[in-house]
């Protein structure tokens, strides 16, 4: 008997990620950010579904390092003059009047570098959260748990996502092939002439995929007529929402009319979705239940994020870039909040492969 | 079950129809084999059986194709989903899901099966296709044979009554291919399923078929296997021999041909197969005690091979034995973990691309990968430019390989065989002393294979060293002077082709199966010997 492995609802990890993001987006303290990344690494190492779709977390860390380097470089080149220990004095270029406020070169101070590093690191942390989420719960899995009526939308997104690794693979194959023909494989010259074959390959593959899906009954409906009705209702609903929303935002009177339009449009959309799922034959093999564990993992993320905010409220400054010359500090509460990440990793079930 | 009523099919923009006023009826049950040369319209014929043609390919259908009583004119492939299961060439490109289980249930999901029914059926399919322990395996981690079994399982899952397969065993090694075919035969006998399949390597399937459909230059014939094989433009070696020798009734398999063995062997008694002499003097490439380990697994281990000028070497062994890795090693794409590789005196990984291609040329399994031009003409002139040769060098090679191809055509529009020859011409522009080919016969029909064999042996006699990695036993027997057998990354046999085959280290071609222990390998050499008789 084949048993489907015990897994979390894919949404759980994404709720978890969003929760942490609430707090982390406010954090510039490098100590806290490094602890966050370390905790995420622990969770990923512990609960990664084995051997699927590479490891976006590692990629996100690499991109993070590049971001920090870029940030430092920009700070050195265009950084505002700040006080602090001058490390190097670069030749300063005087810019014309119409570029007032922008400096090029000049003294590079320790404060400038620390500030740039901290801000770069907080960006890298946000990126690492997304990387961790897509490793722990591949986005295509998340899309699969969309409501039935939105299945087609989810599927087109999933195919688009699946194309990225495909493109990388075909680019690598082409690079090897260029070497076989004695052509340069690097630089601009190496890029030339690979673009069209890659796109051709991708297009061909998408047609094969469409044919394969169709042959296995994709898009089979029970009643053709209702499908049209559903589309018309959805379109009208969307129109009403746009008009109502625009009216409300613009503050045009009568406000009541716009509000009613907004409500009617929303109802229309819901009805359309319902009609659509009645027409589709499709059933789902895997029931994705939002279990208690899924709820706990999601809540732990929110706990972490909100905990950080509270810590920042109680001890102003703990989330910020440390003062010049001072070491970054962490309060027990902020560390406890981040410990929530580790706990989430322990709570989540082990993914068997 | 499938009825073609006076069907003429023409692709958009084509001047002539693929086949004209064809009437044919495939009844329920049994295995129906579709036979024909490359480009004869086999795939088109199969595609018409669920409306894939013309709904996805375009084209114009005259007459009427009826499947399960429904005309394909109005019904789309999805409307046949519960009746027809379709397995197309290259199973990997048809996968829609992420894991084996999700791929297998896909059709059932679309057809609205209940969850309980899906689960039961999934278990049945996993067991039937021996995929039990792979249910949660990601699809991109499957071997070739596993991928093919999953593709067949996915097509069978929603219990269709008709299964259509387009070359299901191309690209699979001998044992794996046999496994897939046995499975199909079992499904036909146990479940009463109707199977329609096309296949280039007829020797594998012709003995199993109930009915054969021959597609030959726009005309379709149907009939019993033996009558069809008597007239088919493509036949396996044993039937070729039987036809030339007038064996009657026509044997379809080696076993059936054994009744004629005694007479044949008597006539061959005073003869020896003619073996071309190969001078093994000048060394072109040396692989010395090379191991490549990757993530703790050895792709090849302690391999030592020396290649000489002017010999044709066949590299055989099951999927994953390390054939492609060895080719990669010789062409500088794979880096040895230990040991050394020398091609024409230098280690290939240290050479710049331009220097490398003057020493070794590799044609990957998909020759299209090394072609970028928008026409044959431009491809050739670019290759001249890349190689720093006089304009016209590549074109000259190509004309030698394929004298009749229109040079303004796009490489994509050429047949598999023609495209391979174009890639070969491009590689030969730099006149490397060593050329490597990875599975060149996938998708080639017998005529194209024979032509490629002639081209390669021709190049070898002029002094080029040729290495061909292949699963195709008959092709191996036709061209190889020497056979290297790889298994699990190690060389298990290396020697003159006839010796390696007669010792049973390499798989035996049909003619050897018949004549063994006498070392005859191909129909050609048997017929040549018989013709020499007074």
């Amino acid at each position: 008997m084949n048993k489907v492995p015990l897994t979390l609802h894919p949404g759980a990890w994404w709720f978890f990620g969003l929760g942490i993001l609430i707090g982390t987006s406010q954090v510039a303290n490098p100590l806290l950010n490094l602890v966050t990344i370390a905790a995420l690494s622990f969770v990923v190492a512990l609960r990664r579904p084995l051997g699927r779709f590479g490891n976006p977390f590692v990629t996100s860390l690499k991109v993070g390092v590049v971001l920090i380097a870029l940030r430092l470089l920009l700070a050195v080149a265009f950084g505002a003059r700040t006080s602090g220990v001058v490390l190097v004095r670069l030749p300063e270029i005087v810019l014309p009047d119409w570029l007032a406020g922008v400096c090029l070169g000049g003294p590079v101070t320790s404060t400038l570098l620390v500030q740039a590093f901290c801000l770069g690191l907080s960006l890298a942390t946000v990126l690492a959260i997304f990387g961790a989420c897509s490793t722990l719960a591949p986005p295509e899995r998340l899309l699969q748990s969309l409501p039935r009526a939105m299945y087609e939308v989810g599927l087109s997104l999933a195919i688009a996502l699946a194309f990225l690794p495909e493109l990388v693979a075909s680019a690598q194959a082409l690079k090897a092939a260029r070497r076989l023909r004695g052509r340069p494989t690097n630089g601009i010259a190496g890029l030339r002439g690979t673009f069209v074959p890659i796109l051709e390959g991708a297009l061909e593959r998408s047609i094969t995929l469409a044919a394969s899906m169709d042959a296995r009954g994709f898009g089979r409906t029970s009643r053709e007529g209702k499908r049209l009705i559903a589309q018309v209702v959805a379109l009208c609903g969307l129109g009403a929402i746009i008009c109502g929303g625009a009216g409300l935002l613009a503050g045009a009177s009568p406000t009541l009319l716009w509000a009613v339009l907004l409500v009617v449009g929303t109802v229309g959309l819901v009805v359309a979705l319902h009609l659509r799922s009645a027409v589709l034959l499709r059933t789902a093999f895997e029931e994705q239940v939002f279990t208690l564990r899924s709820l706990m993992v999601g809540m732990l993320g929110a706990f972490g994020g909100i905990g950080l905010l509270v810590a920042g409220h109680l001890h102003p400054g703990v989330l910020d870039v440390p003062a010049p010359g001072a070491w970054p500090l962490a309060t027990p509460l902020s560390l406890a909040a981040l410990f929530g990440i580790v706990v989430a990793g322990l709570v989540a079930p082990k993914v068997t492969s | 079950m499938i009825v073609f009523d006076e069907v003429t099919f023409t692709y958009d923009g084509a001047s002539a129809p693929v086949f004209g006023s064809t009437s044919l009826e495939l009844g329920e049950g049994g295995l129906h084999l579709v036979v024909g040369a490359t480009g004869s319209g086999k795939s088109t014929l199969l595609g018409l059986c669920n409306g894939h043609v013309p709904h996805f390919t375009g084209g114009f259908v005259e007459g009427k194709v009826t499947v399960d009583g429904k005309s394909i004119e109005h019904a789309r492939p999805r409307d046949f989903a519960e009746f027809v299961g379709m397995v197309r060439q290259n199973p990997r490109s048809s996968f829609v899901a992420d894991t084996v289980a999700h791929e297998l249930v896909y059709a059932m999901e679309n057809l609205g099966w209940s969850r309980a029914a899906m689960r039961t059926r999934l278990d049945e399919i996993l067991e039937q296709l021996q995929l039990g322990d792979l249910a949660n395996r990601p699809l991109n981690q499957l071997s070739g044979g596993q991928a093919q079994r999953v593709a067949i399982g996915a097509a069978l899952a929603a219990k269709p009554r008709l299964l259509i397969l387009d070359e299901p065993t191309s690209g699979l090694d001998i044992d794996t291919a046999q496994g897939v075919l046995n499975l199909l035969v079992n499904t036909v006998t146990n479940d009463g399923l109707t199977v329609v399949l096309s296949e280039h390597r007829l020797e594998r399937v012709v003995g199993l078929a109930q009915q054969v459909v021959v597609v030959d230059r726009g005309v379709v014939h149907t009939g019993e296997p033996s009558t069809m094989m008597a007239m088919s433009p493509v036949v396996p070696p044993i039937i070729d021999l039987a036809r030339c020798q007038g064996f009657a009734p026509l044997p379809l398999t080696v076993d059936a041909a054994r009744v004629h063995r005694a007479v044949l062997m008597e006539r061959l008694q005073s003869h020896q197969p003619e073996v071309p002499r190969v001078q093994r003097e000048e060394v072109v490439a040396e692989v010395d005690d090379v191991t490549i380990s990757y993530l703790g697994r050895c792709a090849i281990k302690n391999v030592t091979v020396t290649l000489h000028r002017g010999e044709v070497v066949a590299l055989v062994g099951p999927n994953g034995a390390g054939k492609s890795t060895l080719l990669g090693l010789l062409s500088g794409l794979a880096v040895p973990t230990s040991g050394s590789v020398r091609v024409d005196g230098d280690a290939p990984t240290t050479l710049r691309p331009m220097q490398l291609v003057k020493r070794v040329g590799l044609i990957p399994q998909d020759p299209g990968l090394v072609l970028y031009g928008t026409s044959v003409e431009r491809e050739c002139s670019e290759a001249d430019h890349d190689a720093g040769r006089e304009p016209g060098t590549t074109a000259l090679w190509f004309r030698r390989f394929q004298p009749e191809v229109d040079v303004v055509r796009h490489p994509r529009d050429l047949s598999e065989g023609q495209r391979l020859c174009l890639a070969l011409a491009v590689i030969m522009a730099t006149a490397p002393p060593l050329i490597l080919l990875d599975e060149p016969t996938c998708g080639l029909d017998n005529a194209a294979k024979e032509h490629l064999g002639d081209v390669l042996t021709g190049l070898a006699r002029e002094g080029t060293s040729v290495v061909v990695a292949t699963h195709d036993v008959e092709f191996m027997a036709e061209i190889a002077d020497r056979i290297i057998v790889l298994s699990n990354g190690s060389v298990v046999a290396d020697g003159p082709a006839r010796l390696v085959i007669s010792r049973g280290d390499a798989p035996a071609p049909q003619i050897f199966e018949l004549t063994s222990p006498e070392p005859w390998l191909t129909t050609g050499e048997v017929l040549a010997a018989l013709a020499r008789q007074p």
Side-chain angles (χ1 to χ4, degrees):
Chain A
M1 181 68 194
N2 164 57
K3 266 191 79 181
V4 174
L6 176 72
T7 49
L8 280 189
H9 190 282
W13 282 122
W14 287 87
F15 277 124
F16 164 83
L18 278 179
I20 308 173
L21 203 60
I22 298 171
T24 315
S25 57
Q26 304 298 319
V27 175
N29 182 340
L31 185 65
L32 291 181
N33 276 331
L34 285 175
V35 171
T36 310
I37 292 178
L40 286 173
S41 313
F42 169 76
V43 178
V44 168
L46 198 66
R47 296 293 180 242
R48 179 162 89 94
L50 282 174
R52 67 156 20 130
F53 310 119
N55 189 341
F57 181 64
V58 172
T59 317
S60 73
L61 289 186
K62 285 181 190 161
V63 176
V65 170
V66 173
L67 266 180
I68 295 174
L70 215 64
R71 192 81 208 212
L72 284 172
L73 207 71
L74 283 177
V76 169
F78 300 106
R81 302 290 80 90
T82 47
S83 57
V85 185
V86 176
L87 301 172
V88 191
R89 197 172 288 276
L90 293 177
E92 196 161 352
I93 295 164
V94 182
L95 293 173
D97 285 347
W98 50 271
L99 267 176
V102 181
C103 359
L104 208 54
V108 178
T109 61
S110 56
T111 322
L112 182 70
L113 286 186
V114 167
Q115 185 134 22
F117 174 78
C118 292
L119 293 178
L121 184 64
S122 54
L123 255 181
T125 312
V126 170
L127 212 63
I129 293 174
F130 276 107
C133 288
S134 26
T135 307
L136 292 165
E140 45 274 51
R141 268 295 158 82
L142 182 68
L143 291 168
Q144 277 170 11
S145 54
L146 283 177
R148 196 161 65 140
M150 286 163 76
Y151 167 70
E152 278 147 329
V153 180
L155 188 82
S156 19
L157 284 173
I159 290 174
L161 281 172
F163 260 127
L164 289 176
E166 196 90 15
L167 284 183
V168 173
S170 57
Q172 278 165 347
L174 271 165
K175 195 174 159 185
R178 288 183 72 81
R179 189 169 157 78
L180 294 176
R181 276 197 62 169
R183 293 186 170 192
T185 50
N186 294 319
I188 299 290
L191 269 178
R192 228 188 64 221
T194 46
F195 193 61
V196 172
I198 288 178
L199 280 187
E200 260 179 357
L203 197 66
E204 210 160 283
R205 159 130 173 97
S206 60
I207 291 170
T208 318
L209 195 63
S212 168
M213 285 163 48
D214 204 294
R216 288 195 267 156
F218 171 71
R220 274 284 284 270
T221 50
S222 42
R223 280 151 297 180
E224 226 21 68
K226 268 200 171 177
R227 185 179 177 152
L228 189 70
I229 300 175
Q231 277 163 350
V232 170
V233 173
L235 215 62
C236 294
L238 263 181
I241 289 177
I242 291 169
C243 290
L248 277 181
L249 286 177
S253 55
T255 316
L256 186 66
L257 173 69
W258 305 125
V260 168
L261 263 182
L262 200 62
V263 171
V264 168
T266 315
V267 171
L269 263 191
V270 171
V271 169
L273 281 180
H274 191 74
L275 280 176
R276 186 89 186 87
S277 44
V279 171
L280 271 180
L281 267 182
R282 195 183 153 79
T283 48
F285 172 63
E286 245 175 34
E287 197 176 12
Q288 283 177 324
V289 212
F290 210 87
T291 52
L292 186 64
R293 276 191 196 217
S294 309
L295 186 68
M296 276 168 73
V297 167
M299 292 308 288
L300 278 165
F303 164 77
I306 295 168
L308 276 179
L309 290 185
V310 173
H313 189 72
L314 293 180
H315 299 272
V318 75
L319 302 185
D320 301 336
V321 179
W327 283 103
L329 290 172
T331 57
L333 180 60
S334 61
L335 285 178
L338 291 177
F339 192 65
I341 299 177
V342 176
V343 176
L346 295 172
V347 165
K350 182 156 184 60
V351 183
T352 48
S353 193
Chain B
M1 193 154 242
I2 303 174
V3 183
F4 281 51
D5 185 17
E6 290 291 310
V7 175
T8 301
F9 179 78
T10 321
Y11 279 112
D12 290 332
S15 53
V18 181
F19 32 76
S21 41
T22 297
S23 293
L24 117 117
E25 202 173 330
L26 297 184
E28 190 135 352
L31 196 133
H32 306 262
L33 176 64
V34 181
V35 176
T38 311
S40 60
K42 293 195 301 289
S43 297
T44 309
L45 186 79
L46 295 180
L48 279 166
C49 297
N50 78 339
H52 173 77
V53 178
H55 288 292
F56 274 90
T57 58
F60 183 66
V61 189
E62 259 174 283
K64 197 165 186 185
V65 181
T66 323
V67 181
D68 185 30
K70 273 188 283 191
S71 162
I72 62 160
E73 194 184 346
H74 304 297
R76 294 179 53 88
R78 68 176 79 132
D79 302 312
F80 291 106
E82 61 268 86
F83 186 76
V84 187
M86 179 76 102
V87 181
R88 298 167 48 72
Q89 282 180 31
N90 187 3
R92 282 176 212 277
S93 67
S94 66
F95 287 157
V96 285
D98 50 357
T99 61
V100 171
H102 284 118
E103 181 70 25
L104 291 177
V105 296
Y106 185 75
M108 298 188 265
E109 288 183 317
N110 282 331
L111 296 174
W113 286 41
S114 76
R115 204 163 277 153
M118 274 196 251
R119 193 160 292 278
T120 318
R121 180 68 181 147
L122 175 65
D123 286 332
E124 273 173 31
I125 282 285
L126 285 171
E127 169 149 358
Q128 190 183 355
L129 302 193
Q130 297 135 37
L131 292 167
D133 42 345
L134 299 179
N136 298 312
R137 182 78 61 91
L139 291 167
N140 54 10
Q141 288 179 11
L142 299 178
S143 72
Q146 290 167 342
Q148 187 59 272
R149 293 212 303 274
V150 171
I152 293 175
L156 280 178
K159 292 193 172 167
R161 280 167 51 218
L162 172 65
L163 182 66
I164 296 171
L165 305 108
D166 200 352
E167 299 203 17
T169 69
S170 67
L172 301 184
D173 62 48
I174 305 135
D175 294 340
T176 319
Q178 204 52 55
V180 166
L181 289 172
N182 289 346
L183 190 118
L184 288 176
V185 173
N186 285 345
T187 352
V188 169
T189 40
N190 298 343
D191 305 357
L193 189 76
T194 312
V195 172
V196 181
L197 85 161
S198 73
E199 182 62 70
H200 273 316
R201 299 193 205 159
L202 292 178
E203 59 272 14
R204 291 174 169 178
V205 282
V206 76
L208 310 171
Q210 266 85 27
Q211 191 183 22
V212 172
V213 180
V214 175
V215 187
D216 183 21
R217 280 163 297 181
V219 188
V220 180
H221 312 270
T222 359
E224 249 208 310
S226 50
T227 26
M228 286 296 108
M229 280 299 115
M231 54 152 292
S232 167
V234 282
V235 287
I238 196 75
I239 298 180
D240 193 14
L241 181 71
R243 286 207 304 201
C244 291
Q245 290 300 302
F247 295 168
L250 193 68
L252 297 180
T253 59
V254 175
D255 283 333
R258 282 195 210 282
V259 289
H260 303 280
R261 180 177 187 275
V263 181
L264 184 71
M265 293 322 288
E266 197 176 325
R267 291 176 62 198
L268 285 171
Q269 207 170 28
S270 52
H271 294 277
Q272 286 294 315
E274 259 181 34
V275 187
R277 288 255 154 261
V278 180
Q279 302 282 328
R280 281 206 188 79
E281 286 165 1
E282 200 179 327
V283 172
V284 170
E286 275 180 300
V287 174
D288 185 20
D289 196 25
V290 167
T291 297
I292 297 186
S293 48
Y294 184 70
L295 298 174
R297 206 185 130 259
C298 283
I300 63 177
K301 53 176 178 272
N302 305 107
V303 168
T304 300
V305 167
T306 308
L307 300 170
H308 305 90
R309 196 167 264 276
E311 63 180 352
V312 180
V313 179
L315 207 56
V316 302
N319 290 91
K323 299 191 298 293
S324 298
T325 312
L326 187 53
L327 293 188
L329 204 57
L330 287 165
S331 57
L333 295 178
V335 186
T337 313
S338 71
S340 73
V341 183
R342 300 235 164 265
V343 176
D344 215 16
D346 293 298
T349 40
T350 61
L351 294 171
R352 284 208 310 276
M354 202 50 244
Q355 299 170 306
L356 183 72
V357 294
K358 291 200 171 128
R359 288 172 172 77
V360 54
L362 168 71
I363 299 184
Q365 195 167 355
D366 173 11
L369 272 179
V370 289
L371 303 175
Y372 317 104
T374 49
S375 71
V376 172
E377 215 170 12
R378 293 187 50 183
E379 193 69 64
C380 289
S381 59
E382 274 190 42
D384 293 336
H385 178 77
D386 284 350
R389 297 281 154 154
E390 261 171 55
T393 315
T394 315
L396 210 62
W397 279 112
F398 184 63
R399 266 206 300 284
R400 176 179 148 179
F401 302 150
Q402 289 286 345
E404 278 156 20
V405 172
D406 189 357
V407 291
V408 297
R409 290 176 68 188
H410 194 288
R412 233 162 229 286
D413 299 333
L414 300 179
S415 75
E416 293 281 342
Q418 291 165 341
R419 197 156 49 220
L420 192 68
C421 284
L422 180 57
L424 196 58
V426 166
I427 297 296
M428 287 309 292
T430 54
L434 172 64
I435 55 174
L436 317 167
L437 296 97
D438 196 356
E439 291 296 342
T441 61
C442 257
L444 294 194
D445 59 34
N446 287 11
K449 250 162 34 179
E450 201 174 310
H451 182 69
L452 177 70
D454 292 343
V455 164
L456 293 178
T457 36
L459 288 174
R461 300 300 160 251
E462 288 163 25
T464 313
S465 175
V466 179
V467 181
V468 180
T470 185
H471 287 316
D472 193 326
V473 182
E474 303 299 337
F475 185 68
M476 169 196 83
E478 290 283 348
I479 65 157
D481 302 314
R482 175 179 160 199
I483 295 176
I484 298 176
V485 187
L486 285 174
S487 175
N488 280 326
S490 305
V491 175
V492 292
D494 180 359
R498 223 163 283 275
L499 187 69
V500 173
I501 290 175
S502 54
R503 276 202 312 232
D505 291 332
Q510 283 198 312
I511 300 298
F512 180 72
E513 279 184 42
L514 180 69
T515 61
S516 128
E518 300 300 320
W520 297 89
L521 301 186
T522 65
T523 308
E525 56 190 31
V526 171
L527 292 178
L530 292 176
R532 283 199 305 274
Q533 259 180 348

